[in-house]
Amino acid sequence: MNKKSILILLFIIIVLSAGFLYFQLITAKKIQAAVNVNYNLSGWLWSSNIGWVSLGGSNYQVVVNSTNGNLSGYAWSPNIGWINFAPASGFPNSPNYSAKINLSSGALSGWMKATQADPTNGGWDGWVKIENASTTYSGYNNNYGKIAGFAWGNLVIGWLEFYDVAIPPLINCDFSANPNNISFGERSALSWDCSSAATSCLIDNSIGSVSIIGSKTISPSKTINYILTCQGFGGPRDFTANISVGTGSATSTLRGFKYKEVRPSR
């Protein structure tokens, strides 16, 4: 191969490599764009002092952020008006933040505030503190989570109960390789089902963006872990499938082959 041919080949390799890296970057950006998603809470709060408080209606909604668990939006009480789930400042004491869910432990904490409260002349300041509330996913409403517990709203609201509040299901995927032990040159199939909560998924090792349910036949040259990363509530979350690749050997066998001895003539 002459020098000109070598240079052309190198140029082609560089262009293809740059195209591949660009594709990976675009795919990663698409996945990243799906990270910060708000999910609606549904249900009611209850206080024996002010009655029912609604978390969503035609023109209002309390939502939870999929990655940091922060609550925002407004709930409505026909007796005291709007309750803001994301007041920005002025918290009376610890913790120094508005209402949120710890997506790892499921615990709720922070502050809410009744916007129409009037603290002048010794009136109620409107602050409501989440005291003892958490989420559970065990056997509740087709994998949806349930918030249970209380917040304290001083003598005006008293104890405010998270009566029947549902949050979206956490991402959960079935991800496997079959077979997961192969010899060199053989194939395996990756299969995944993330339909319960995922909004988008990506598999590493040059596979890229995939649908939330699917499969792909592969033939890795060495033992490898494939990581499926999905976005959705509580995401991103990673799921791993391992494929062990043995060294193997290339062999050939002749079967049913008839032959006869041929001797050279004298």
Side-chain angles (χ1 to χ4, degrees), residues 6 14 25 40 58 61 64 66 72 75 103 116 128 134 169-170 173 188 190 209 213 233 236 251 264 266:
I6 293 175
I14 292 172
L25 178 62
N40 294 345
S58 60
Q61 183 65 59
V64 56
S66 64
S72 60
L103 297 177
Q116 297 178 21
V128 181
S134 61
L170 291 170
C173 295
S188 177
L190 293 175
S209 181
I213 302 176
F233 186 64
T251 60
R266 294 174 179 253

Side-chain angles (χ1 to χ4, degrees), residues 127-152:
W127 288 104
V128 181
K129 184 178 183 180
I130 300 174
E131 294 281 0
N132 183 19
S134 61
T135 61
T136 177
Y137 284 86
S138 178
Y140 181 73
N141 192 16
N142 295 325
N143 293 324
Y144 271 68
K146 179 180 180 179
I147 299 176
F150 295 87
W152 173 249

Side-chain angles (χ1 to χ4, degrees), residues 146-225:
K146 179 180 180 179
I147 299 176
F150 295 87
W152 173 249
N154 211 320
L155 297 179
V156 175
I157 291 181
W159 287 108
L160 186 63
E161 181 182 3
F162 290 83
Y163 182 77
D164 191 19
V165 180
I167 65 173
L170 291 170
I171 301 171
N172 189 30
C173 295
D174 292 324
F175 184 39
S176 62
N178 185 32
N180 59 2
N181 286 283
I182 62 174
S183 296
F184 180 82
E186 293 182 337
R187 296 183 177 185
S188 177
L190 293 175
S191 300
W192 60 93
D193 184 345
C194 309
S195 57
S196 65
T199 57
S200 59
C201 295
L202 172 74
I203 299 178
D204 68 349
N205 290 307
S206 304
I207 293 179
S209 181
V210 295
S211 61
I212 59 175
I213 302 176
S215 63
K216 186 175 182 62
T217 301
I218 52 175
S219 182
S221 59
K222 61 181 180 180
T223 296
I224 189 171
N225 285 327

Side-chain angles (χ1 to χ4, degrees), residues 18-183:
F20 173 76
L21 291 175
Y22 176 77
F23 170 78
Q24 292 292 88
L25 178 62
I26 293 299
T27 300
K29 285 184 175 180
K30 287 181 179 179
I31 292 292
Q32 184 65 28
V35 170
N36 292 311
V37 178
N38 288 329
Y39 290 85
N40 294 345
L41 296 186
S42 62
W44 301 82
L45 308 178
W46 166 256
S47 162
S48 59
N49 291 352
I50 65 170
W52 292 105
V53 178
S54 171
L55 295 177
S58 60
N59 62 343
Y60 64 96
Q61 183 65 59
V62 177
V63 299
V64 56
N65 186 276
S66 64
T67 55
N68 56 32
N70 289 343
L71 300 177
S72 60
Y74 292 81
W76 172 252
S77 163
N79 292 309
I80 66 168
W82 298 109
I83 299 177
N84 182 7
F85 272 65
S89 60
F91 310 108
N93 51 57
S94 179
N96 193 35
Y97 53 79
S98 60
K100 67 186 300 182
I101 300 174
N102 184 316
L103 297 177
S104 297
S105 68
L108 276 73
S109 59
W111 293 89
M112 306 173 285
K113 188 175 185 180
T115 61
Q116 297 178 21
D118 184 5
T120 59
N121 298 320
W124 179 47
D125 59 11
W127 288 104
V128 181
K129 184 178 183 180
I130 300 174
E131 294 281 0
N132 183 19
S134 61
T135 61
T136 177
Y137 284 86
S138 178
Y140 181 73
N141 192 16
N142 295 325
N143 293 324
Y144 271 68
K146 179 180 180 179
I147 299 176
F150 295 87
W152 173 249
N154 211 320
L155 297 179
V156 175
I157 291 181
W159 287 108
L160 186 63
E161 181 182 3
F162 290 83
Y163 182 77
D164 191 19
V165 180
I167 65 173
L170 291 170
I171 301 171
N172 189 30
C173 295
D174 292 324
F175 184 39
S176 62
N178 185 32
N180 59 2
N181 286 283
I182 62 174
S183 296

